[in-house]
């Protein structure tokens, strides 16, 4: 397991590397690291912006090469659209990086937890501030289910049926789904943002019970 000092060191090494890549225009930190990390298990989430779509793949390849030099346990590359990539990097000390690479024009805000940590032109900050205003002005700021109450009841019916069949694996799946719907409703009631919401310990446990 890594220490906070080691995490800060790897973070700074990453930013220093990105700073010298000519195809990288800026970097946005996401998640709990923006406010000081939740705990010693928190990973590092970054959005790396290139100036244009044409530079995304070169940026991604250079970033991946950097992490290969850190002797990671695994580097997993995912592609979410033509110009948006994600690198999931796990080091030997269990420190995890989630680094998305995309052109500046596709930067978006889906949570208040963001901070520009590198901006070579000023345009990354300008784009993020614009997206943040749009996010803040949305009536509904996060994805919701059309009818979570119905989904909860439906899962309960399926749970009861599968228990009678002694199909415990499927019954456990339905129980887990019921838990998720309960937390979704409570998060909405407390005006928590559902996008990548993991801070369930911040919810009012008395209301959930």
């Amino acid at each position: 397991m890594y220490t906070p000092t080691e995490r800060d060191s790897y973070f700074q090494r990453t930013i220093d590397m990105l700073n010298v890549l000519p195809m990288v225009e800026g970097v946005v930190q996401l998640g709990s690291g923006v406010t000081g990390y939740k705990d010693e298990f928190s990973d590092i989430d970054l959005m790396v912006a290139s100036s244009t779509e044409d530079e995304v793949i070169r940026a991604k390849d250079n970033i991946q090469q950097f992490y290969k030099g850190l002797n990671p346990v695994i580097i997993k590359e995912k592609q979410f659209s033509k110009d948006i990539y994600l690198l999931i990097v796990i080091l030997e000390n269990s420190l995890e990086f989630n680094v998305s690479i995309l052109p500046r024009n596709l930067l978006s805000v889906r949570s208040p937890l963001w901070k520009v940590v590198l901006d070579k032109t000023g345009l990354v900050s300008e784009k993020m501030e614009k997206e943040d205003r749009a996010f803040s002005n949305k009536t509904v700021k996060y994805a919701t289910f059309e009818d979570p109450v119905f989904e909860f009841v439906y899962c309960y019916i399926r749970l009861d049926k599968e228990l009678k069949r002694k199909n415990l694996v499927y019954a456990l799946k339905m129980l887990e789904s019921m838990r998720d719907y309960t937390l979704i409703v409570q998060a909405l009631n407390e005006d928590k943002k559902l996008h990548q919401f993991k801070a369930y310990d911040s919810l009012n446990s008395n209301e959930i019970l």
Side-chain angles (χ1 to χ4, degrees), residues 47-208:
M47 281 198 302
V48 178
S50 64
S51 298
T52 67
E53 291 86 348
D54 295 337
E55 296 173 317
V56 170
I57 292 180
R58 278 205 307 139
K60 183 257 299 178
D61 290 345
N62 276 271
I63 295 167
Q64 190 166 135
Q65 195 62 38
F66 166 77
Y67 283 117
K68 284 180 179 179
L70 299 181
N71 299 315
V73 174
I74 189 171
I75 298 179
K76 175 65 177 178
E77 177 183 321
K78 296 185 178 184
Q79 184 174 4
F80 294 109
S81 70
K82 178 177 176 294
D83 298 311
I84 300 179
Y85 292 85
L86 172 68
L87 294 179
I88 300 173
V89 182
I90 302 177
L91 304 184
E92 289 182 339
N93 61 4
S94 298
L95 177 59
E96 179 179 340
F97 287 84
N98 293 280
V99 183
S100 55
I101 305 101
L102 67 167
R104 173 182 17 94
N105 66 294
L106 294 183
L107 287 171
S108 63
V109 171
R110 298 183 179 181
S111 160
L113 293 177
W114 65 269
K115 176 175 64 175
V116 175
V117 293
L118 176 64
D119 190 355
K120 299 176 182 178
T121 64
L123 296 175
V124 170
S125 296
E126 182 179 307
K127 172 65 172 174
M128 289 299 294
E129 288 164 5
K130 178 182 177 182
E131 292 297 319
D132 188 64
R133 288 192 295 271
F135 173 78
S136 299
N137 290 332
K138 285 182 181 178
T139 304
V140 179
K141 298 182 175 63
Y142 23 71
T144 59
F145 292 87
E146 290 186 3
D147 193 346
V149 175
F150 168 78
E151 298 296 341
F152 178 91
V153 173
Y154 182 70
C155 286
Y156 174 77
I157 293 171
R158 297 298 302 174
L159 169 66
D160 183 60
K161 187 178 295 185
E162 297 307 323
L163 284 174
K164 290 175 180 176
R165 290 173 173 167
K166 301 189 184 303
N167 184 358
L168 298 183
V169 172
Y170 194 88
L172 285 172
K173 181 180 179 181
M174 292 299 98
L175 189 62
E176 179 68 11
S177 295
M178 290 168 64
R179 181 196 73 98
D180 288 342
Y181 287 122
T182 300
L183 293 171
I184 285 169
V185 170
Q186 188 58 33
L188 289 171
N189 287 340
E190 296 186 27
D191 197 29
K192 305 285 186 180
K193 301 186 186 308
L194 292 183
H195 178 70
Q196 296 182 335
F197 182 73
K198 294 181 285 188
Y200 293 127
D201 56 338
S202 70
L203 295 175
N204 187 330
S205 58
N206 291 328
E207 293 294 334
I208 294 174

